[in-house]
Each structure stands twice: as C-alpha cells, then as structure tokens.
Amino acid sequence: TLLTQFKKYLLQSGIDEKQIIWINLEDLQYNFITDYMSLYNYINEKLQTDKTNYIFIDEVQQIQLFHLYILLLSMSSKMMRIPFQDRDL
C-alpha cells in the first residue's frame, strides 16, 4: 500500500523506526483503540520527544470521533506530521 511504501521510504531515509507510529486497525493487536481518547493515549505513549513523529493510521474510519483526536493534536504543542489513508474521506 501507499502507507507501507512511505514507511519504507522514511526508514531508508534514516528516520528511526521509533519515530514511526504504525496503526492498522484491521490488526487485532490494536483492537483496544476504539475511540479518539484511546488513540490519543496510545500515540502519546509512543511519541519521541524533540523529534518529528510520523503517524500512520490505516482504516481510521473505525475510530469513533476521530476528528476530536485531530482537534486535540492541533491544540497540542507537539509538532507532528500525520500522513493517513482513508478511502472513505
């Protein structure tokens, strides 16, 4: 997928894998992420301080009130780039 290709590009460009937060909501290991707060908490635990973080979320439409996460992020002082793929947006 496009997300996988971009992640590979980042890694080949020297980005530390810890700076890449990868969430595929079709994968059962992420079944606890069901709403914007669980997404927010999970990502905050993974963020690398003082570095650019790249967040990939596949099937984002499965997260209830996803737009509230974007609002929380926009109010945060942490600078992040968030490429995401959602065929339904």
Side-chain angles (χ1 to χ4, degrees):
T1 68
L2 185 58
L3 291 178
T4 305
Q5 291 174 5
F6 191 60
K7 179 182 178 183
K8 184 178 179 180
Y9 167 78
L10 290 172
L11 292 170
Q12 290 173 345
S13 299
I15 300 297
D16 187 338
E17 191 161 4
K18 291 179 184 177
Q19 291 173 249
I20 301 171
I21 300 170
W22 183 272
I23 302 169
N24 180 350
L25 293 171
E26 290 182 327
D27 189 329
L28 289 178
Q29 72 175 329
Y30 300 108
N31 68 350
F32 64 93
I33 300 176
T34 57
D35 59 25
Y36 75 99
M37 282 307 298
S38 55
L39 176 66
Y40 179 81
N41 291 332
Y42 178 77
I43 290 175
N44 271 349
E45 290 175 10
K46 301 287 184 184
L47 290 177
Q48 299 297 302
T49 308
D50 299 326
K51 294 184 179 182
T52 299
N53 293 270
Y54 299 85
I55 302 171
F56 296 85
I57 306 171
D58 197 10
E59 300 301 329
V60 70
Q61 74 276 5
Q62 294 182 27
I63 298 176
Q64 297 174 13
L65 304 174
F66 175 75
H67 65 282
L68 293 178
Y69 171 72
I70 298 297
L71 180 62
L72 286 173
L73 180 63
S74 69
M75 293 172 16
S76 170
S77 62
K78 297 173 183 159
M79 296 299 294
M80 299 167 49
R81 296 179 187 173
I82 308 177
F84 67 91
Q85 177 180 354
D86 186 334
R87 293 188 269 306
D88 296 331
L89 290 180

